[in-house]
Amino acid sequence: MTYLGLFFSAFSSATLLPGTSEVVLSALAINSREALLQLWLVATLGNVLGSCVNYWLGLKMMSYQHKSWFPISPQQVTKAQQLFERYGVWSLFLAWVPIVGDPLTLVAGLCKFRFWLFLLLVSISKGARYAFILFGVMGVERLI
């Protein structure tokens, strides 16, 4: 149950929904020092899969652009595409950043960015973030 809760926390944290995966991961790491690799893998997998949902939503969302309820203007879509085309590959290394990273993964889908490269860059980004969190927690844990 511990891993499942972490997975869903990390998954929802990567979508446009709010999440607290850093807090969940930190608490579990403090209580399960022998399982750090497993915790890192589960958190990273959940977070990357959540980003894949954003990518998929970005791919599919343009089929609804002519609906009256569509929340993004054509000008905003064009601007997002231009920015992503300019900084796309490198911006995906920021997929881990709260608030900024989730829309980036959505725009990657919108721009039909190569999925295999998206998956690689986002996995590196999210995996590094969770590793940094675990190293930080374990460093603080030693000080206490």
Side-chain angles (χ1 to χ4, degrees), residues 1-12 21 24-25 28 42:
M1 185 63 176
T2 299
Y3 293 118
L4 190 61
L6 175 60
F7 177 86
F8 282 115
S9 177
F11 181 89
S12 68
S21 64
V24 174
L25 178 63
L28 292 173
V42 169

Side-chain angles (χ1 to χ4, degrees), residues 3-67:
Y3 293 118
L4 190 61
L6 175 60
F7 177 86
F8 282 115
S9 177
F11 181 89
S12 68
S13 293
T15 65
L16 299 174
L17 301 170
T20 58
S21 64
E22 296 86 358
V23 174
V24 174
L25 178 63
S26 298
L28 292 173
I30 289 169
N31 293 320
S32 304
R33 283 185 246 169
E34 66 285 347
L36 293 180
L37 179 61
Q38 294 91 328
L39 292 171
W40 175 80
L41 285 170
V42 169
T44 300
L45 178 64
N47 213 243
V48 169
L49 289 177
S51 292
C52 289
V53 168
N54 290 345
Y55 180 93
W56 179 80
L57 289 171
L59 279 175
K60 301 298 178 189
M61 70 186 270
M62 292 312 291
S63 62
Y64 299 102
Q65 68 182 332
H66 301 296
K67 302 284 185 181

